[in-house]
Amino acid sequence: MSKKLINKARGLSDKAIAWIFITPTVLLLLAINIYPLFYAISMSFTNFYANKIGKEIKWVGLKNYIKVLGKESVWERMQITANFMFWTLLIQALIGLGLALLLNKKFKGNELLTTLIVLPMMLSPAVVGTFWTYLYNPQVGVFSYIMNFFYNFGPIDMIGSSVLAPWSIVIVDTWMWTPFTMLICLAGLRSIPDYLYEAAEVDRASRWQQFIYITLPSVLPFLLLALLFRGIENFKMFDMVVELTSGGPGSATELASIQLKREAFEKWKTGYSSAYAVILFVTIFGFGNVYVKVMNKIKDR
Amino acid sequence: MEYYMKNKFIILISSLVFALFSSTSAKSESITLGWAAWDPANALVELSKGFTAETGIDVNFEFVPWPNFADRMLNELNNQGKTFDLLIGDSQWIGGGAVYGHYVKLNDFFDQEGISMDDFSDATVYAYSTWPKGTPNYYALPAMGDALAWAYRKDWFDRPELQSEFQAKHGYDLGVPKSWDELYDMCTFFQGREIDGQVRYGAAINTERGSEGITMGVTAAMYAWGMQYENPDKPYEMEGYFNAPHVVEAVEFYKKMYEDCTPPGHSDAYMGANLDAYKSETVAFQMNWYAFWPGVSKEDADGRVTGFFANPCQETCAATLGGQGLSVVSYSDKKDLALEYMKWFAKPDVQAKWWSLGGYSCHKDVLGASDFVDSAVYAQGFLDSMGIVKDFWQEPTFVELMLPMQEHIHDYVVNGKGTAKAALDNIIEEWVEVFEADGKL
């Protein structure tokens, strides 16, 4: 029997064998990714409420989409999300690249330091959010203590102030995820062949010129890749912010994903929130595609 | 030898199968009860041992922390889950429980078992059991009476130097505040004051954003200012009622309390954070549910440190309702066992034990007992409060009504965005949308 099977398999083309191998994965993907996506898209055209059992589901056309896009609060949350993404990506790119450049030098304790720096990203975001609420506590938190060490600001209420709360989530995300950017940049830096620098030395290029013309172009594709991952992650950021600020004060740190969760699983407006989710998906998918194209162009250069 | 070994193996397997089956059959005589993870839940575990001893039915518990309680339980109900046979659900869930068929209607069962709702305090029956409100359609048995109240540092209040300083400043005695104005005076009196070498603050009040915290806090003021959600003669007409000038004043007052009386960083605080602020001797007052007073009181055996009082009056006397009813989940496969538990729980002697263990019974035999008022320092306050309680909307859409309230009140009180009037107007606007979608408007 098994011999027969082996003989049969031998007769199959490479393409057929490849299909046999990937079919289970494709089926699984269809079942857990593609089907729910199309189901959500179909629900987004209805007035479906998951908690109203027995209520007639009506086709409402584009009404949900018009409602989502016409809502001021949705645009506010998009703005909050964009703000969060811009500052986290910018700061993480700068610090991550800086740390990678420092750690790329050979010195004693290099490995240990690298391990210590990457520790935060190994923690669960919910845990990070929770313990930073204690670190930010204006009375006993270490954050307030450190800030007051340099200048007497008094108690600093990072989570309760509408001005500081958006920065509080940027700081925590930066603390947690800069090591990720750093690691990828470090991989990029270590892939630059030494002979490029040796040739530059021969040509009497200054350190700055070496950085601009060799290091930066070589590491840029890696940095952009890290930022792509971070961008996608932060666009759907939820757990850390919920634990840290619950989206408050008011709605100062309510990111689009938090608002979506509240619409979908607290208000149970399934049709409306499906439309919202589709809009978010198209947004990140569109941005992602454009970004990848730009990244590939840079890489080709 | 081989035959002997084979036999031994068969005996071993048989015993294992028998043991497995017998344990399964023992497990089938059990029910699961869901509630919030807080002090009274521990008392219920203790109390339910009596049920198991009496009937042989085990009671399993799943207690969910308050911030996730509604999410977890409502998700379970909406998915028609069978995890819970009994649920001690929040008072606001009764509308959804009844309308969406999550809870078993109990009228026939009550009639059959001779359980009379007249035996339970009227306010609690109205709040925890009936839907539509006030009609004799029962979906829960009043299980845990509760209301928002206050605890204060009696030992600080008793200090002669503080008393005379307060008297000189405000012209009346430092004691239990009779109004929100007096409460504010006392809170600000303690704000930033150094006592025994440590800086203290006024009050730990509800400011939580994520679930229901700030709503449960601000309504304590709004009710005291005489707020009504809607026109009593025209249901769901909220304009001019919910955003009336005296309600605006109440919300502004609550913001003033937040700004002038709370400790730094008290911007996302609810039950646990208020208890922590009080236990760490940071604040003179804490706002919290009666459910926590047995625990607070236990740590103060001689009653020297802490005093308790009902929500102060202002334009009128009122208190925010807490508490829950015990319901049978209609998707349960063990409804008969769950009803048996309910029958047992409704017994007057069990209700008396419930109170003695730290649960708040709603049974008139317990509340009306001659020694009830003296049985705990907060007992009189509890009785007073339960007579004046008011609750948030109990509509099936209550979560949709709660979310805008949380957002706009937090935005105004903590975030300092806009005005109180604008916050209330925004809430009404979103509530109208909810009621329209629900066909009520």
Side-chain angles (χ1 to χ4, degrees):
Chain A
M1 182 67 186
S2 57
K3 262 189 179 177
K4 264 186 186 174
L5 269 176
I6 293 166
N7 285 337
K8 250 188 182 176
R10 272 186 190 150
L12 291 173
S13 66
D14 285 356
K15 209 172 180 184
I17 292 172
W19 269 109
I20 290 171
F21 276 110
I22 64 163
T23 302
T25 314
V26 168
L27 287 177
L28 205 66
L29 266 177
L30 282 173
I32 61 172
N33 266 351
I34 310 298
Y35 170 70
L37 175 67
F38 282 99
Y39 187 56
I41 292 172
S42 72
M43 279 196 299
S44 70
F45 298 108
T46 68
N47 68 342
F48 182 44
Y49 280 77
N51 65 338
K52 293 181 182 171
I53 302 155
K55 192 184 171 183
E56 192 197 348
I57 302 168
K58 280 187 197 157
W59 179 266
V60 293
L62 290 172
K63 201 176 155 192
N64 285 330
Y65 287 89
I66 294 165
K67 227 171 154 183
V68 172
L69 293 172
K71 228 174 187 176
E72 203 185 320
S73 70
V74 171
W75 290 105
E76 270 178 24
R77 305 309 184 271
M78 292 284 201
Q79 211 178 332
I80 292 167
T81 310
N83 210 34
F84 171 67
M85 282 177 67
F86 174 79
W87 287 110
T88 48
L89 297 188
L90 179 72
I91 299 171
Q92 285 171 33
L94 292 174
I95 303 179
L97 181 61
L99 282 174
L101 287 168
L102 289 175
L103 288 173
N104 196 33
K105 307 275 176 226
K106 283 192 178 96
F107 60 88
K108 211 177 164 187
N110 182 308
E111 279 83 10
L112 178 70
L113 197 63
T114 311
T115 312
L116 287 176
I117 290 174
V118 299
L119 274 180
M121 68 180 236
M122 293 175 187
L123 299 170
S124 146
V127 172
V128 169
T130 306
F131 79 64
W132 269 88
T133 56
Y134 296 108
L135 297 181
Y136 277 143
N137 186 304
Q139 292 178 75
V140 292
V142 75
F143 185 84
S144 200
Y145 177 80
I146 292 171
M147 298 303 282
N148 277 290
F149 183 78
F150 295 106
Y151 180 78
N152 187 19
F153 293 101
I156 300 171
D157 190 0
M158 287 296 287
I159 295 170
S161 149
S162 58
V163 181
L164 296 176
W167 288 106
S168 76
I169 59 173
V170 169
I171 290 170
V172 177
D173 190 77
T174 303
W175 175 83
M176 188 171 177
W177 290 111
T178 299
F180 175 78
T181 321
M182 180 207 79
L183 273 185
I184 295 195
C185 288
L186 199 58
L189 288 173
R190 289 193 176 154
S191 70
I192 305 171
D194 284 342
Y195 66 79
L196 288 179
Y197 290 106
E198 286 160 11
E201 295 264 335
V202 171
D203 291 339
R204 295 196 173 177
S206 68
R207 286 269 175 195
W208 177 246
Q209 283 170 322
Q210 286 178 29
F211 176 74
I212 293 294
Y213 296 110
I214 301 173
T215 311
L216 207 53
S218 308
V219 87
L220 201 59
F222 290 86
L223 181 64
L224 289 175
L225 187 70
L227 293 183
L228 175 69
F229 288 144
R230 289 306 312 134
I232 293 170
E233 280 292 308
N234 279 2
F235 191 75
K236 56 192 176 72
M237 169 59 71
F238 178 80
D239 36 9
M240 182 271 282
V241 178
V242 165
E243 287 302 322
L244 190 62
T245 64
S246 303
S251 46
T253 58
E254 193 179 72
L255 303 173
S257 60
I258 300 174
Q259 189 184 36
L260 175 60
K261 184 260 175 182
R262 285 177 173 155
E263 296 288 342
F265 300 111
E266 291 181 31
K267 291 185 181 175
W268 294 97
K269 293 161 86 175
T270 317
Y272 172 86
S273 45
S274 295
Y276 195 169
V278 170
I279 290 169
L280 289 184
F281 172 71
V282 170
T283 311
I284 193 68
F285 193 71
F287 271 122
N289 263 332
V290 172
Y291 190 91
V292 168
K293 274 187 185 141
V294 172
M295 201 170 75
N296 283 339
K297 268 190 184 169
I298 290 173
K299 217 162 73 182
D300 291 343
R301 245 193 269 161
Chain B
M1 185 65 186
E2 197 182 318
Y3 174 78
Y4 174 74
M5 286 295 286
K6 207 173 175 182
N7 263 357
K8 212 174 168 185
F9 182 70
I10 289 168
I11 290 167
L12 182 74
I13 293 293
S14 316
S15 340
L16 278 173
V17 168
F18 178 75
L20 192 74
F21 270 87
S22 52
S23 72
T24 315
S25 67
K27 266 186 188 164
S28 69
E29 284 290 285
S30 69
I31 48 172
T32 303
L33 188 153
W35 199 12
W38 60 338
D39 289 358
N42 301 328
L44 189 70
V45 173
E46 196 56 36
L47 181 77
S48 300
K49 285 177 185 166
F51 174 71
T52 306
E54 212 172 280
T55 62
I57 302 167
D58 284 329
V59 185
N60 303 315
F61 297 93
E62 187 176 321
F63 298 138
V64 182
W66 270 107
N68 311 102
F69 182 50
D71 259 13
R72 166 79 182 89
M73 296 307 182
L74 296 178
N75 216 337
E76 181 73 22
L77 293 176
N78 290 331
N79 288 319
Q80 306 188 9
K82 293 173 186 290
T83 309
F84 302 106
D85 307 300
L86 285 160
L87 190 65
I88 303 190
D90 231 349
S91 54
Q92 299 103 343
W93 305 357
I94 196 80
V99 172
Y100 301 142
H102 301 320
Y103 293 163
V104 171
K105 191 174 179 185
L106 299 165
N107 288 49
D108 291 345
F109 167 71
F110 286 166
D111 291 343
Q112 192 186 314
E113 297 297 339
I115 299 170
S116 170
M117 284 294 101
D118 293 339
D119 291 340
F120 291 84
S121 135
D122 300 342
T124 63
V125 172
Y126 178 87
Y128 306 139
S129 304
T130 60
W131 187 264
K133 283 287 94 189
T135 62
N137 296 293
Y138 306 118
Y139 290 88
L141 181 86
M144 171 80 191
D146 206 354
L148 204 67
W150 297 80
Y152 71 103
R153 285 299 300 253
K154 198 162 160 274
D155 56 336
W156 296 351
F157 276 51
D158 289 343
R159 294 189 180 193
E161 72 278 13
L162 293 180
Q163 281 184 347
S164 52
E165 190 183 331
F166 185 85
Q167 170 73 35
K169 192 173 177 190
H170 294 288
Y172 61 94
D173 288 343
L174 179 64
V176 171
K178 294 180 195 70
S179 67
W180 277 74
D181 286 326
E182 288 192 11
L183 178 66
Y184 177 80
D185 285 347
M186 292 174 197
C187 287
T188 45
F189 179 73
F190 284 102
Q191 183 76 353
R193 177 173 292 271
E194 200 170 293
I195 297 176
D196 301 333
Q198 197 186 321
V199 177
R200 322 287 177 159
Y201 299 92
I205 60 173
N206 295 345
T207 57
E208 185 248 17
R209 166 73 174 90
S211 58
E212 56 166 28
I214 199 161
T215 301
M216 293 297 122
V218 76
T219 48
M222 291 162 88
Y223 296 142
W225 260 261
M227 180 269 275
Q228 285 182 306
Y229 285 101
E230 56 192 331
N231 181 348
D233 302 323
K234 201 175 170 197
Y236 307 111
E237 187 186 83
M238 296 161 287
E239 186 65 42
Y241 290 86
F242 186 70
N243 58 357
H246 61 281
V247 186
V248 172
E249 196 185 308
V251 178
E252 285 169 349
F253 195 93
Y254 199 75
K255 182 179 168 62
K256 206 166 72 160
M257 287 278 290
Y258 168 70
E259 286 171 347
D260 301 345
C261 300
T262 56
H266 203 77
S267 57
D268 194 16
Y270 196 20
M271 310 173 205
N274 290 351
L275 280 172
D276 288 346
Y278 188 78
K279 280 182 184 170
S280 63
E281 308 198 342
T282 308
V283 290
F285 292 93
Q286 74 155 315
M287 168 190 257
N288 227 320
W289 301 105
Y290 275 102
F292 293 108
W293 291 172
V296 175
S297 183
K298 212 170 164 183
E299 289 170 14
D300 175 32
D302 57 359
R304 198 184 50 80
V305 177
T306 297
F308 304 94
F309 60 95
N311 195 43
C313 306
Q314 186 73 14
E315 303 294 326
T316 180
C317 292
T320 306
L321 178 82
Q324 297 89 25
L326 175 68
S327 297
V328 175
V329 177
S330 58
Y331 315 114
S332 159
D333 292 330
K334 300 175 195 166
K335 288 197 273 285
D336 50 339
L337 299 183
L339 288 169
E340 203 170 326
Y341 182 90
M342 189 175 275
K343 185 180 149 191
W344 171 83
F345 187 76
K347 288 180 185 172
D349 58 323
V350 175
Q351 288 288 312
K353 196 175 176 197
W354 178 222
W355 166 249
S356 70
L357 287 171
Y360 282 80
S361 171
C362 305
H363 203 282
K364 282 179 182 168
D365 282 5
V366 179
L367 302 178
S370 54
D371 59 346
F372 179 78
V373 172
D374 300 323
S375 60
V377 281
Y378 42 81
Q380 183 63 57
F382 175 63
L383 276 185
D384 295 343
S385 294
M386 291 314 288
I388 53 168
V389 282
K390 282 178 180 288
D391 201 7
F392 189 71
W393 295 102
Q394 292 191 346
E395 298 284 325
T397 48
F398 99 91
V399 181
E400 292 169 67
L401 301 165
M402 178 70 79
L403 285 173
M405 178 96 177
Q406 282 288 109
E407 181 191 336
H408 296 297
I409 294 292
H410 206 269
D411 237 338
Y412 170 67
V413 173
V414 178
N415 200 9
K417 194 173 159 187
T419 62
K421 176 75 169 65
L424 296 173
D425 289 346
N426 287 335
I427 293 167
I428 291 179
E429 199 183 313
E430 293 200 38
W431 283 357
V432 166
E433 212 178 290
V434 174
F435 288 130
E436 278 174 352
D438 207 31
K440 301 272 170 75
L441 272 174

